[in-house]
């Protein structure tokens, strides 16, 4: 019923507005112009450009410019980027972890303005005093994370953020996610009363907490992730929230909040079947993996549990994770798990132990204490420790693939899933993924010694070298020999790890955000440092570093911001869920605009970045809007070297910043 209402309103819009070229028809190729200026151009009068969409003339290299960008002293384990003050430049939000306290029980305290350890930063990307750009701390004056109890000296406990326009007024609002532990004090301390909140933007980067927004859990819950989406296609953004284990190990379902259009939300989790699947969620991801026009909701699951892929049929959600190949890989052989082998030292006559070897670890006491034949032989306990899932067209075939960031250990054996690329091989309207052979694909995480660990926690997909091929950034932490690994895609589709050679080999890179922060035509990378376990020997605090790319000028580029027509007229105003295809020199790149994703809220700008090779313009830009009718528009011969905005139902092209060199 929710969707049928949208189909009718979108159909009316299609009939009323000829700007919707091929409205509802994926084969449409017509569209507005805009090749020569911000408000249109000569369009069809421009001769087609002969160029190479993959050509690059620069050598990829990064420089650690943390000090120049004003990030010395900024610490946190999660980074999110997006333009919150509307000036065209991506700003930065940095979050640290739940503060805790010791010895327990005790009252964890909020961050106090001007005192103690900083835990939350809103950093505006502003002109530097001597030229260039610099991040300026505007946290306190912005109003972001002002607590609901009205304190003017403290900040609310906040561990993640996701950016989107929730009230359809054209600016980026913020969901502030709070990872609550159960209250240990009676009455609870101020921090223990904090909950997730919505902060509304006035358009200039000043925020007001929206009381009664509906995204707060009544009782404390360990919120671990969040993604905005428009699941019912009504032009109003909804919110998918992931929840981790309770402290006692109980499982809790994720939550789905339906947007009401004014920034408030209603909890529709139970009514749509999502509460039937209970997993220890460490990350959420939303994208339309089978290109059927309906967003799919994914959870990255911890503790070797199956990942969940919720498919919506217009009425309810169904988990198709196992059938799609996303839940876990095909290796279900637990016989090389060292704790199974320890179990067999006591239960050697059990048929499960026939022909197995001896353990290579010091077994616990009792030796069968860490493994059980009741639970540990089931497929749902032979998956991975998935922290983040990225959704993007990695292979360049127009289909959205997945990349999962996983923690894995040598002692767990081959059945423990590892960070990997899941290639979308499903037919239109079907969801299926084939896991890559990591060695053949060149995406194996380097191992040091026999007792290796893979600390995959976060990941991003970005075209770092501007060759119009997607590269993969994997953030690993917590264990020895962990780095931000850079898997560069070669022309043959295979990858090679190049982090050290390009100057982006950050130890214990626990999180990252890739964006063109200075709008010079290449993607810079901000990396947060992990301090857990062995990484504490490298970093005393969660230092945040800025790696500035030197690839600018090596290829043409185009950055695209989207503006949906809004509720009652078309897609959500943020354009979240829109699928954008850019054709330059015969090379077609497809990206879907997403919101927050992965472990504790990753986000890479609120615009889409495309490299154009030796081309000076995009031959076509096709946008399939996420409304109830898949309205499709095409703009032709769009000059590159600039940040533009495309608006649903409007054939013009709007410059957000002056074109490069202009």
């Amino acid at each position: 019923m929710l969707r049928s209402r949208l189909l009718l309103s979108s159909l009316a819009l299609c009939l009323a507005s000829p700007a919707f070229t091929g409205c509802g028809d994926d084969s449409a190729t017509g569209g507005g112009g805009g090749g020569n200026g911000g408000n249109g151009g000569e369009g069809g009068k421009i001769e087609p450009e002969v160029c190479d969409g993959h050509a690059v003339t620069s050598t990829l290299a990064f420089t650690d410019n943390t000090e120049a960008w004003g990030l010395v002293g900024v610490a946190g384990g999660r980074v999110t980027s997006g333009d919150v003050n509307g000036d065209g430049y991506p700003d930065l939000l940095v979050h640290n972890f739940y503060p805790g306290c010791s010895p327990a029980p005790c009252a964890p305290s909020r961050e106090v303005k001007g005192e103690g350890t900083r835990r939350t930063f809103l950093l505006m990307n502003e002109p530097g005093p001597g030229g260039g750009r610099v991040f300026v701390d505007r946290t306190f004056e912005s109003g972001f994370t002002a607590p609901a109890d009205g304190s003017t000296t403290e900040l609310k406990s906040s561990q993640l953020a996701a950016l989107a326009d929730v009230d359809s007024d054209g600016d980026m609002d913020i969901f502030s996610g709070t990872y609550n532990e159960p209250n240990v004090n009676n009455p609870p301390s101020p921090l223990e009363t904090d909950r997730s909140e919505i902060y509304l933007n006035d358009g200039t980067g000043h925020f007001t907490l929206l009381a009664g927004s509906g995204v707060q859990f009544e009782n404390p819950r360990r919120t671990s992730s969040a993604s905005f989406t428009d699941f019912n296609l009504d032009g109003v953004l909804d919110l998918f929230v992931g929840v981790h284990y309770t402290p006692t190990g109980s499982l809790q379902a994720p939550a789905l909040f339906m947007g009401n259009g004014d920034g408030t939300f209603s909890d529709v989790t139970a009514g749509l079947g999502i509460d039937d699947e209970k997993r220890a969620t460490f990350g959420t991801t939303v994208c339309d993996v089978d290109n059927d026009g309906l967003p799919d909701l994914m959870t990255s699951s911890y503790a070797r549990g199956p990942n969940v892929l919720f498919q919506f049929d217009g009425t309810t959600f169904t988990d198709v994770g196992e059938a799609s190949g996303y839940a876990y890989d095909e290796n279900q052989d637990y016989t090389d798990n060292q704790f199974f082998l320890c179990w067999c030292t006591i239960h050697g006559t059990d048929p499960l132990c026939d022909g197995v070897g001896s353990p290579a670890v010091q077994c616990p006491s009792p030796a069968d204490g860490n493994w059980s034949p009741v639970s540990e032989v089931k497929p749902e306990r032979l998956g991975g420790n998935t922290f983040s899932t990225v959704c993007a067209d990695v292979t360049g075939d127009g289909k959205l693939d997945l990349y999962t960031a996983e923690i894995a250990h040598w002692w767990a054996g081959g059945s423990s899933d590892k960070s990997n690329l899941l290639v979308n091989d499903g037919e239109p309207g079907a969801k299926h993924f084939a896991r890559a052979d990591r060695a053949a694909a060149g995406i194996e995480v380097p191992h040091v010694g026999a007792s290796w660990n893979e600390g995959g926690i976060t990941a991003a997909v970005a075209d770092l070298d501007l060759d119009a091929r997607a590269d993969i950034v994997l953030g690993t932490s917590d264990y020895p020999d962990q780095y931000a690994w850079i898997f560069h895609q070669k022309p043959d589709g295979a990858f090679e790890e190049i982090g050290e050679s390009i100057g982006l080999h950050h130890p214990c890179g626990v999180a990252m955000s890739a964006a063109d922060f200075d709008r010079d035509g290449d993607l810079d990378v901000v990396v947060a440092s992990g301090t857990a376990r062995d990484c504490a020997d490298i970093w005393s605090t969660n230092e945040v570093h800025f790696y500035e790319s030197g690839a600018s000028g090596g290829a043409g580029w185009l950055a695209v911001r989207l503006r949906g027509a809004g509720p009652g007229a078309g897609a959500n105003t943020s354009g979240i869920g829109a699928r954008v295809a850019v054709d330059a020199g015969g090379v077609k790149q497809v990206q879907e605009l997403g919101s927050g994703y992965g472990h504790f809220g990753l986000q890479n700008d609120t615009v889409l970045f495309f490299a154009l090779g030796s081309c000076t313009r995009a031959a076509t830009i096709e946008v399939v809007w996420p409304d109830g009718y898949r309205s499709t528009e095409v703009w032709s011969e769009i000059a590159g070297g600039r940040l533009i905005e495309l608006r649903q139902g409007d054939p013009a092209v709007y410059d957000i910043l002056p074109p490069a060199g202009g």
Side-chain angles (χ1 to χ4, degrees):
M1 181 175 179
L2 291 171
R3 188 175 184 221
S4 64
R5 288 202 299 266
L6 254 294
L7 288 171
L8 291 174
S9 62
S10 295
L11 178 58
L13 178 63
C14 291
L15 294 175
S17 174
F20 281 81
T21 59
C23 194
D25 180 358
D26 291 340
S27 64
T29 58
N36 286 336
N39 289 309
E42 295 301 313
K45 296 182 181 179
I46 299 176
E47 291 295 323
E49 186 175 20
V50 178
C51 54
D52 181 356
H54 289 303
V56 179
T57 60
S58 60
T59 300
L60 180 61
F62 287 88
T63 303
D64 188 339
N65 282 341
T66 302
E67 182 175 1
W69 276 84
L71 292 180
V72 173
V74 174
R78 299 295 177 262
V79 289
T80 299
S81 63
D83 181 9
V84 300
N85 61 355
D87 67 351
Y89 288 89
D91 307 300
L92 195 65
L93 290 96
V94 177
H95 284 79
N96 228 318
F97 305 101
Y98 183 82
C101 60
S102 62
C106 56
S109 59
R110 288 172 172 165
E111 178 182 343
V112 179
K113 296 180 180 180
E115 299 180 15
T117 302
R118 294 291 306 275
R119 298 178 190 146
T120 307
F121 295 84
L122 194 161
L123 305 167
M124 294 297 189
N125 184 345
E126 300 181 2
R133 308 291 299 185
V134 65
F135 288 112
V136 179
D137 187 356
R138 303 294 187 192
T139 311
F140 304 145
E141 65 197 76
S142 73
F144 176 58
T145 65
D149 62 13
S151 172
T152 59
T153 60
E154 301 173 317
L155 298 184
K156 178 185 81 74
S157 178
S158 180
Q159 284 70 51
L160 64 102
L163 310 180
D165 182 10
V166 300
D167 55 358
S168 304
D169 65 352
D171 51 41
M172 288 293 129
D173 308 303
I174 303 178
F175 167 76
S176 166
T178 297
Y179 182 95
N180 288 102
E181 297 285 9
N183 297 341
V184 298
N185 296 280
N186 189 15
S189 68
L191 181 143
E192 290 174 308
T193 67
D194 287 337
R195 296 291 185 270
S196 299
E197 302 283 0
I198 293 291
Y199 289 84
L200 296 181
N201 193 344
D202 70 355
T204 67
H206 292 87
F207 295 89
T208 302
L209 183 148
L210 178 62
S213 64
V215 300
Q216 307 88 347
F217 294 117
E218 181 177 351
N219 296 314
R221 298 184 75 179
R222 288 173 154 182
T223 299
S224 63
S225 46
S227 305
F228 283 108
T229 182
D230 182 6
F231 81 90
N232 57 352
L233 306 177
D234 64 352
V236 175
L237 284 173
D238 313 304
L239 181 65
F240 184 47
V241 175
V243 180
H244 193 43
Y245 281 125
T246 69
T248 59
S250 299
L251 295 169
Q252 292 183 302
L256 181 61
F257 299 99
M258 185 171 67
N260 299 318
D262 58 357
T264 65
F265 294 80
S266 302
D267 190 339
V268 294
T269 308
L272 293 173
I274 289 177
D275 62 333
D276 292 338
E277 293 288 343
K278 294 179 172 63
R279 301 287 185 263
T281 299
F282 249 174
T284 58
T285 303
V286 178
C287 64
D288 182 4
V289 298
D290 57 349
N291 198 22
D292 66 351
L294 293 169
D296 303 301
L297 314 183
M298 287 167 273
T299 68
S300 300
S301 302
Y302 186 63
R304 306 288 304 276
N307 298 322
V308 176
L309 198 167
F310 287 115
Q311 173 179 276
F312 191 50
D313 64 5
T315 302
T316 189
F317 285 93
T318 304
D319 177 14
V320 297
E322 185 174 351
S324 69
Y326 172 58
Y328 39 68
D329 68 18
E330 296 178 352
N331 187 340
Q332 303 293 304
D333 181 7
Y334 54 82
T335 59
D336 57 351
N337 183 308
Q338 296 299 308
F339 293 107
F340 163 71
L341 298 178
C342 285
W343 185 86
C344 286
T345 64
I346 296 178
H347 305 277
T349 60
D350 190 288
L352 293 177
C353 299
D354 288 348
V356 303
S358 300
V361 297
Q362 179 68 43
C363 291
S365 181
D368 59 355
N370 284 16
W371 195 88
S372 167
V374 176
S375 60
E376 304 301 312
V377 300
K378 297 179 179 179
E380 57 265 28
R381 282 287 293 135
L382 296 170
N385 295 299
T386 314
F387 281 68
S388 298
T389 299
V390 187
C391 182
D393 179 15
V394 177
T395 61
D397 63 355
K399 298 180 179 180
L400 298 182
D401 311 300
L402 305 177
Y403 183 85
T404 60
E406 319 255 2
I407 280 184
H409 309 286
W410 73 275
W411 52 259
S415 67
S416 182
D417 298 356
K418 299 172 183 63
S419 301
N420 204 357
L421 175 63
L422 280 62
V423 177
N424 189 338
D425 63 356
E427 297 300 320
K431 299 174 176 65
H432 193 268
F433 301 92
R435 292 179 183 252
D437 179 324
R438 295 204 312 170
I443 54 175
E444 281 201 299
V445 176
H447 294 166
V448 177
S451 301
W452 53 264
N453 302 277
E454 293 187 14
I457 294 179
T458 57
V461 171
D463 181 9
L464 296 179
D465 65 338
L466 309 181
D467 66 351
R469 300 181 182 93
D471 307 308
I472 298 170
V473 183
L474 173 64
T476 66
S477 183
D478 290 29
Y479 306 101
D481 309 302
Q482 305 300 300
Y483 294 88
W485 304 105
I486 313 300
F487 297 106
H488 166 250
Q489 186 170 178
K490 299 183 291 186
D492 63 0
F495 293 82
E496 57 182 343
E497 205 290 312
I498 61 170
E500 190 168 11
S501 67
I502 64 173
L504 186 48
H505 193 54
H506 191 90
C508 298
V510 72
M512 77 292 295
S513 190
D516 184 6
F517 287 97
D518 47 9
R519 298 299 187 207
D520 66 347
D522 54 26
L523 295 175
D524 313 299
V525 182
V526 175
V527 182
S529 309
T531 59
R533 300 186 176 92
D534 297 273
C535 292
D537 295 333
I538 301 173
W539 305 104
S540 59
T541 63
N542 297 103
E543 293 185 17
V544 174
H545 284 238
F546 189 98
Y547 290 92
E548 189 163 348
S549 174
S552 174
W557 62 278
L558 191 64
V560 180
R561 190 167 80 182
L562 300 174
R563 180 72 178 266
N572 67 86
T573 53
S574 295
I576 289 173
R579 187 167 297 216
V580 180
V582 171
D583 189 321
V587 175
K588 188 174 183 178
Q589 301 171 69
V590 174
Q591 296 185 38
E592 182 175 299
L593 180 61
S595 172
Y597 74 94
H599 188 53
F600 280 87
L602 305 172
Q603 193 162 348
N604 302 305
D605 203 356
T606 47
V607 305
L608 299 175
F609 181 90
F610 297 88
L612 304 180
S614 65
C615 306
T616 63
R617 59 184 185 265
T620 59
I621 303 176
E622 179 187 83
V623 179
V624 181
W625 296 98
D627 55 22
Y629 208 76
R630 308 200 71 195
S631 307
T632 302
E633 297 177 283
V634 180
W635 288 260
S636 301
E637 304 297 346
I638 309 303
R642 56 183 177 151
L643 167 62
I644 62 172
E645 181 172 270
L646 302 179
R647 302 173 184 175
Q648 187 176 16
D650 186 343
V653 176
Y654 297 87
D655 280 301
I656 304 305
L657 295 172

